[in-house]
Amino acid sequence: MFHGFYEEIHEEFREVVREFVAREVTPHYRRWDEAHMIDRAMWQAAAENGLLGLAIGEQHGGMGLTDYRFRMIIDEELARADALGVALALHLHDDWVLPALLRFGSPEQQQRWLPRFMDASFVSSVAFTEPGAGSDLRAVRTKAVRDGEDYLISGQKTFIGNGISGDGALVLARTDGGPGRGASARGEERSFSLFLVEKSEGYDVGRQLDKMGLKASDTAELFFSEVRVPAQNLIGEEGRGLEYAKAILPQGRLAVAASAVVVAAEVLRQTREYIGEREAFGSVVGQFQNSRFQMADLQVSLEASQHYIAHAVTRFNAGTLDVAGASKAKLWATERTKELVDACLQLHGGYGYILEYPVAQAYLAVRLMTIFGGTSEILRETVSTDLLR
C-alpha cells in the first residue's frame, strides 16, 4: 500500500509473515498447486507463527488483532511469493467463518471452538452456495430438522473452498421446513439458520472441482445426508441465519477487495521489472511510448484503488463499514484489478500466456474475485438499492 498506511508494529509483523512464507510456503507451493491441495503442515506452521485467528481475543489465547491491516500484510507477502491459493484458503477460515463465531457464537461455543481455529485443529469452510442457487441465499434448499437435542442436516453444497482439506463447515440451512423457492421466497428472512458442522457420518465430500486458477486451494462439492449435529452447534438463534450471513459480508467482501488491490500492486511491480529488461525491435519494451503511457494509467488506477481500500479498512477498523460500503469497495477493486492484470499480461507478450509466469497465474486468480463473495452484478444491485431507497 502507500506510504503512511502501515505503522511500525505492522512492519514488525511483516517480518514474521515474510519468514513464514519463505520457509513454509514458497518451497512447497508449486507441488500444492499441482496436487490441488495445501499440506496440513502449512496450517500447523501458520498456527505456530500466530497467523491464524488474528482477531481472537486474549481471553481465548489470541492476540486480538482486529486491525485489518495485519490481515492485509499476510496477503501482501503471499502475493509477493505468488502463492495466492494459500491466501484464499486463509481468507475462508479467518474472514468468513471466524467472524460468525466471534459475533454470534455463545460464550460456550467460543470457548470450545476459538482455540481450535488458532491451533489448526479445525480448518473451516463456508458452505452457503448450492447448485442452482449461487449468490441467491434465499434459494438454499439444505434443511436442518430438529430431532431431540440434535438437528439432522440434509442437502448439497458446491464451490466449497477447503471442502476436502478442512474439518468442517459453517452451513446455512433452512429450519422452516420450506423447499427454497428463490425469488418467490423474499419474505422468508427467518427461514434460515447457521450451524458449525464437523465432518461425521453422512457428511460426504464430493469430487474435487478443477478450477481455472488458485488450484492449491481445494474446492469441492459437499453432500449432507441426515448429518446429526448437536443443537449446541447452532450459531446464535434459530431463524436468524440469513441475518447473520449478511452481517459478516462487510469483512468477507473487504477481504476480497483488499486482496485484489494487493495482487494488482504486485503484478504491476513485476510488469515494471519485466518491461524494463525485455527487448524488442532493438529497444527495451519499457521505452516504447505505448508501454510508458499504459504503465502511467495503470499506476494511477492502482493508487486510486489503494486509497479507496485504505478508506474502507479505516471504516472497518472503526466498526462503520456496512454491506453497501464493502460492496462498493469490492466492486471497484476487483473490476479495476481484472483490467490491470489483463493489461499487464498484454505487456508481457507471449510470455504472459505461459503459466510459469506469475502474471498468467494472477490472470487466472483475479477472475474469481469478481465472482466470489458476491458477483459484480449482485454488488451493483446492493449498491443501487442502497442508493435509491
Side-chain angles (χ1 to χ4, degrees), residues 247-263:
I248 64 176
L249 279 179
Q251 180 167 344
R253 288 180 175 171
L254 175 63
V256 182
S259 294
V261 170
V262 164
V263 171

Side-chain angles (χ1 to χ4, degrees), residues 44-290:
Q44 294 167 346
E48 291 169 2
N49 283 270
L51 303 183
L52 299 182
L54 297 184
I56 296 174
E58 295 180 2
Q59 68 272 31
H60 296 292
M63 295 184 290
L65 299 179
T66 57
D67 181 347
Y68 201 78
R69 287 176 290 182
F70 288 103
R71 286 289 298 116
M72 289 188 68
I73 286 172
I74 296 177
D75 277 352
E76 286 183 349
E77 294 306 311
L78 288 170
R80 181 172 170 266
D82 303 317
L84 300 178
V86 174
L88 174 61
L90 294 177
H91 275 306
L92 293 167
H93 185 73
D94 264 16
D95 289 312
W96 289 92
V97 182
L98 180 60
L101 189 57
L102 288 174
R103 292 191 61 178
F104 307 113
S106 67
E108 184 277 331
Q109 288 174 330
Q110 293 181 355
Q111 183 177 1
R112 178 159 53 104
W113 289 99
L114 292 181
R116 299 185 63 190
F117 272 74
M118 288 186 295
D119 68 13
S121 62
F122 184 81
V123 173
S124 58
S125 309
V126 185
F128 289 179
T129 54
E130 297 186 4
S135 297
D136 185 5
L137 297 185
R138 294 182 181 87
V140 161
R141 292 176 175 269
T142 295
K143 296 181 181 181
V145 179
R146 191 65 185 253
D147 183 46
E149 296 299 314
D150 303 322
Y151 285 87
L152 297 179
I153 296 182
S154 299
Q156 181 181 352
K157 301 290 183 177
T158 194
F159 310 137
I160 309 304
N162 299 340
I164 298 174
S165 61
D167 302 294
L170 182 67
V171 177
L172 180 68
R174 301 185 69 95
T175 45
D176 68 342
R181 297 183 296 277
S184 65
R186 297 282 175 190
E188 299 179 1
E189 294 290 331
R190 296 189 63 84
S191 298
F192 306 89
S193 301
L194 282 182
F195 299 87
L196 202 54
V197 183
E198 292 189 85
K199 288 182 175 177
S200 60
E201 184 178 354
Y203 185 132
D204 296 315
V205 177
R207 63 190 178 95
Q208 165 86 276
L209 300 178
D210 191 9
K211 306 188 299 292
M212 62 185 286
L214 296 166
K215 292 180 179 291
S217 173
D218 63 280
T219 304
E221 298 172 312
L222 300 181
F223 299 91
F224 304 122
S225 179
E226 294 194 337
V227 179
R228 187 167 292 277
V229 179
Q232 293 92 329
N233 287 29
L234 170 70
I235 301 297
E237 299 177 18
E238 184 178 295
R240 299 184 65 183
L242 197 58
E243 174 188 340
Y244 298 154
K246 291 178 180 178
I248 64 176
L249 279 179
Q251 180 167 344
R253 288 180 175 171
L254 175 63
V256 182
S259 294
V261 170
V262 164
V263 171
E266 179 60 23
V267 169
L268 192 59
R269 183 193 68 78
Q270 293 171 352
T271 302
R272 185 169 63 247
E273 290 184 357
Y274 178 83
I275 66 173
E277 299 172 354
R278 175 69 174 168
E279 292 188 4
F281 303 102
S283 298
V284 175
V285 172
Q287 293 302 314
F288 297 146
Q289 186 183 66
N290 178 69

